[in-house]
Every structure is written in C-alpha cells, then in structure tokens.
Amino acid sequence: KPTMERVDWDALLDISKSCFDVPHAFWTDSRDGGYNLIRFLRLEDEHHTETEVVVRIPLFDSIIVSEDLLRSKANIYSAEVAAMDLVLEKTSIPVPKVYKHGVVGTTQGRSSPFMIMEKLSGVPLSYLWDEMEDEHRDSILEQVVDVMLKLFTIRFDAIGVPAKEGDEWVILPESTIAEPGVSNRSLSKVFTSTLDYWTALSTKNMEDSVDRRFGSRYNEDSYGMRWLLRSFIPGLYAHADDSGGFPLEHGDFHSQN
C-alpha cells in the first residue's frame, strides 16, 4: 500500500506515452512480489492498436523514505538493466526488453525508480510444476543448466557489480547497490580473489552480529556460528581457483529455488 500511494502514477503514464509515442495509456492489473510492485500498462496508438507493457517499481515500507534508500533502489535498477544488456550482448539467452528506466517524481522523499519492460506471454512455472510430467520437468531443468553454462562463459577479472562505462564493461563494488542497513552488500571494494572476498564478507557479517545484536541473548551463538563459518573459508578456496576469472551468476540460481 505505501508504494501505491507514494508513486506519481500520472507522471509515469506521461513518460510511457512519450516513450512509445502513443496518445492513450491506462493501467490494468497489478501484482507484487518480495521486492517489486508490477503494474501492467495498456498502450493504444492512433490506429487503436493496443500493446501491453510491464512497469516495475521497487516496494517501499513507507510513503516518505530517505534519499539514501532511494539512491540505492535506483542503483539496483541500473545494475539490473546493465546485467540484462550484458547478457544480451554476450550470449543468446532470451532477455526481456527494457524500454526505459529512471526515476519518476520530484517531491523530496517520494520519488521512485521505475522500469518499463516488455511483457512476456505465459504463466509462472510455479503454477504448473507440481502437475507436470517428469519429461517436461527434465526439459526445463536442461534449459536452466544451459542458461547457467552460458552465463559462466561471461568472465571478469574481479568480483563485484557489472557496469558499462562508455564502451567498456567494468566491475564496481557491491556497496554500489547496498541498501542502508544491509551489511552483506556493503563491501566497498572489488576483489580479485575468491578467498579474500568470502573472508571480507564473513568478517562483515561478524561485525554486523556485534553491531545489530549487541546485548541480545542470541548474539553469542550468532557470533560464534559466523566465526566458525569464516574459519572454514581457507580450506574451501585457493588462489589457483581464480585463474579463469569470475563468472556472471544469477541470484535466483541457488539451492532454495
């Protein structure tokens, strides 16, 4: 609800009509997930031909938010667009088209990043997975593996956030997309060693355990667990493992999913 109330939807309509050079546009359905609010926008040209696009807005917990949070949300959207451009440039993986992204609204504390994207046909896989035949599931998993292997062909010489400066792709620190108070994205340098990266990240988590849970009866166990996990890192990684560069990975490709 705060996100719906804080966004200047009329301004977004004007931006969309200008982007597609159409006289009419109106909102249809809306949905929200864990991180974004999605609204579907129907565009109509002078010949009454209709096209539907997706408008993404990051979710907010309140109507007025800090400038630091707004900046981080805008940086996250910029990084997502850059990553999609990178995948489109370097691989044959299908990527939704981003028509426009930026910030809408000028009122202090109430502006918001936005992204206008191509609407893809189909239904979410989660709606069908439980009822699918095994051979269809196998086919989908093979496609996922194929996507992951193609992503792994995109290599960089450092760990961080891909960005494009001019005609060159560069790596920026993870702090570029850090939201205020999120410690595991606040590393302020890029890393050329997996060992150094995980050691720094684990140390940051230990510091977070002290700073955010000081005085809590759970703090001792939390700090001890994080210290133990950090102690495993030298046995898991070696500098020789970094010789081939660092691949691009999608955050959704993990065991929980």
Side-chain angles (χ1 to χ4, degrees):
K1 187 177 179 180
T3 303
M4 287 292 291
E5 293 180 1
R6 69 184 308 281
V7 174
D8 189 342
W9 298 107
D10 290 336
L12 259 179
L13 278 180
D14 292 338
I15 290 172
S16 301
K17 288 189 290 186
S18 175
C19 176
F20 293 93
D21 192 23
V22 296
H24 306 293
F26 54 93
W27 301 108
T28 57
D29 196 10
S30 64
R31 298 171 189 170
D32 59 90
Y35 301 98
N36 297 281
L37 170 68
I38 302 297
R39 294 196 75 180
F40 297 102
L41 181 63
R42 190 163 296 165
L43 308 163
E44 184 180 297
D45 65 17
E46 65 273 14
H47 304 295
H48 304 292
T49 302
E50 293 186 348
T51 303
E52 197 164 42
V53 296
V54 174
V55 179
R56 284 178 57 192
I57 298 287
L59 288 174
F60 292 94
D61 295 330
S62 60
I63 294 176
I64 305 297
V65 299
S66 70
E67 290 300 314
D68 286 343
L69 180 58
L70 288 173
R71 190 180 304 109
S72 72
K73 295 284 191 182
N75 288 343
I76 289 171
Y77 268 30
S78 295
E80 289 179 356
V81 172
M84 286 189 280
D85 288 343
L86 174 64
V87 171
L88 189 63
E89 178 183 316
K90 302 291 186 180
T91 75
S92 59
I93 298 172
V95 177
K97 184 174 181 179
V98 177
Y99 299 109
K100 192 175 185 64
H101 72 100
V103 175
V104 62
T106 56
T107 304
Q108 186 173 12
R110 295 191 62 165
S111 60
S112 177
F114 72 89
M115 192 184 303
I116 305 174
M117 303 178 65
E118 174 186 11
K119 182 184 178 184
L120 302 180
S121 60
V123 297
L125 178 60
S126 58
Y127 292 1
L128 306 175
W129 183 261
D130 290 343
E131 308 301 326
M132 292 179 69
E133 299 290 337
D134 286 346
E135 62 184 74
H136 293 154
R137 292 179 183 172
D138 290 344
S139 175
I140 289 172
L141 291 175
E142 288 173 0
Q143 293 176 55
V144 170
V145 170
D146 182 59
V147 168
M148 294 178 71
L149 291 174
K150 288 176 179 176
L151 289 177
F152 287 170
T153 65
I154 304 175
R155 301 270 172 162
F156 291 94
D157 59 3
I159 300 172
V161 180
K164 198 164 191 179
E165 296 182 352
D167 295 328
E168 299 294 326
W169 287 100
V170 298
I171 296 295
L172 303 178
E174 289 186 353
S175 57
T176 307
I177 57 171
E179 293 187 21
V182 180
S183 65
N184 65 350
R185 281 189 177 172
S186 59
L187 298 177
S188 57
K189 58 176 284 188
V190 297
F191 292 84
T192 57
S193 160
T194 307
L195 176 62
D196 293 344
Y197 171 78
W198 284 111
T199 301
L201 184 60
S202 298
T203 301
K204 198 73 176 177
N205 285 333
M206 290 170 60
E207 294 171 351
D208 177 65
S209 180
V210 173
D211 295 340
R212 299 179 64 183
R213 301 189 181 191
F214 183 77
S216 167
R217 64 189 181 93
Y218 300 108
N219 190 55
E220 184 176 341
D221 290 341
S222 174
Y223 186 88
M225 180 187 68
R226 297 181 186 199
W227 181 90
L228 178 64
L229 291 174
R230 190 181 69 166
S231 71
F232 292 151
I233 291 173
L236 296 174
Y237 300 100
H239 290 295
D241 298 331
D242 303 332
S243 59
F246 304 99
L248 186 69
E249 288 187 304
H250 195 293
D252 284 340
F253 289 148
H254 55 73
S255 59
Q256 290 176 311
N257 284 349

